[in-house]
Every structure is written in structure tokens, then in C-alpha cells.
């Protein structure tokens, strides 16, 4: 059990995806299950704990999103296309590698777009562009990397 919890922590630290499925009938003892849930609960701020239907919904929403970075005379651009009939229901994100520590990602709407995604700093090297709630369509944002001294959600 300790090896499993160590490997789960390593995957989380590396930004990996782990699917932990706990069936109704298991060979684990009540104490082992309690230890797993305690371990996961202590990291709830960095984990998504969800039933299977929500995970399936996230994959469906993720499949509706495509993105591309392009460079033109106006500088780097993030292009996002969302297909389907309604807004995204799950918090699909695009992760962006930052050029280095002490920088943050800033997006500026192009083509008169009003809806801006939330940007969440993940660590000193990565930021997430959170696309939840956006309606189907094509989005284009100019990409800027600003010098900063603090991390956090914007």
C-alpha cells in the first residue's frame, strides 16, 4: 500500500494523470481503504475526485476542444476551437509551458471577443488556460509572458 501511495504522489508531483478506482467489493481492509482516502483527502486541492459519470463527461468535453499555437506579425497567438451544441460543462484546460520562473501568462482577446478564460498558475513553469463555460466557436487570444514575483490564480 505504501508503494502505491508513493507512486501516486510522484505522478501528482509530475503533473500526471492517475485513475484510482475503488469498487464496492474489494480485498482491501477497512484500515487500508481509510488510509487511501486520508491520503487523497489531504491532497484534495490538487486532485479531482469524481464519480465515473463526471470523468466520462470531462472526456466528452475534452474531445470537443482543439487548440493551436501560431505566430504571425502580431506575435504568438493561441487559437482554440470548441465544437458541439452547448457550452463546455467540465473545466477543460490548455496547459502552457512558461519561458521560465518569474513569468506569468497573459491573454488578450482578438477580434472583439468578450469572453476570456481564467488563467491558473500551476507552478513556476506552467499555467492553465481554463476553458469552462465557453460556448462553441473559434477563439483567438494574443499570448504574452509577463515578469512577475508571485504565483496564484487570476
Amino acid at each position: 500500500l505504501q508503494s502505491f501511495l508513493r507512486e501516486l504522489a510522484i505522478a501528482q508531483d509530475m503533473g500526471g494523470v492517475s485513475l484510482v478506482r475503488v469498487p464496492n467489493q474489494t480485498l482491501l481492509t477497512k484500515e487500508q481503504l481509510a488510509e487511501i482516502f486520508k491520503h487523497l483527502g489531504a491532497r484534495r486541492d490538487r486532485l479531482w475526485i469524481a464519480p465515473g459519470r463526471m470523468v466520462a463527461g470531462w472526456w466528452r468535453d475534452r474531445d470537443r476542444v482543439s487548440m493551436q499555437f501560431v505566430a504571425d506579425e502580431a506575435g504568438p497567438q493561441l487559437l482554440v476551437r470548441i465544437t458541439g451544441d452547448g457550452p463546455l460543462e467540465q473545466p477543460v484546460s490548455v496547459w502552457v509551458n512558461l519561458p521560465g520562473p518569474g513569468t506569468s501568462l497573459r491573454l488578450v482577446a482578438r477580434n472583439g471577443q468578450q469572453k476570456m478564460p481564467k488563467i491558473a498558475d500551476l507552478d513556476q513553469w506552467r499555467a492553465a488556460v481554463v476553458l469552462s463555460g465557453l460556448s462553441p466557436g473559434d477563439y483567438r487570444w494574443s499570448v504574452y509572458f509577463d515578469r512577475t514575483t508571485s504565483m496564484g490564480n487570476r
Side-chain angles (χ1 to χ4, degrees), residues 8 33 90 95-96 104 110 134 150:
L8 193 60
L33 282 174
Q90 301 294 328
W95 285 25
V96 177
S104 64
R110 300 283 306 243
L134 293 180
S150 64

Side-chain angles (χ1 to χ4, degrees), residues 37-148:
F37 290 127
K38 180 181 175 186
H39 179 86
L40 296 175
R43 292 155 179 77
R44 195 169 191 88
D45 63 326
R46 299 278 300 169
L47 299 177
W48 181 37
I49 300 173
R53 65 179 159 68
M54 287 182 72
V55 174
W58 180 86
W59 279 104
R60 281 190 297 272
D61 274 358
R62 183 185 177 276
D63 193 47
R64 296 174 50 199
V65 175
S66 62
M67 61 78 55
Q68 180 180 12
F69 274 104
V70 298
D72 62 18
E73 64 280 350
Q77 308 287 311
L78 173 61
L79 283 59
V80 172
R81 173 170 284 163
I82 300 172
T83 61
D85 295 327
L88 296 173
E89 296 177 14
Q90 301 294 328
V92 177
S93 299
V94 174
W95 285 25
V96 177
N97 291 332
L98 302 173
T103 58
S104 64
L105 174 66
R106 180 170 51 97
L107 301 178
V108 174
R110 300 283 306 243
N111 304 330
Q113 293 169 194
Q114 297 300 313
K115 184 76 172 175
M116 291 296 295
K118 179 182 174 185
I119 298 174
D121 295 316
L122 301 172
D123 56 32
Q124 64 180 349
W125 297 102
R126 300 170 298 168
V129 179
V130 184
L131 304 173
S132 61
L134 293 180
S135 297
D138 292 325
Y139 296 86
R140 182 181 203 95
W141 298 289
S142 294
V143 177
Y144 298 94
F145 297 104
D146 298 325
R147 282 274 186 221
T148 184

Side-chain angles (χ1 to χ4, degrees), residues 4 7-12 15-21 40 47-48:
F4 167 75
E7 289 177 16
L8 193 60
I10 289 169
Q12 178 188 348
V17 174
S18 299
L19 177 63
V20 178
R21 184 177 164 271
L40 296 175
L47 299 177
W48 181 37

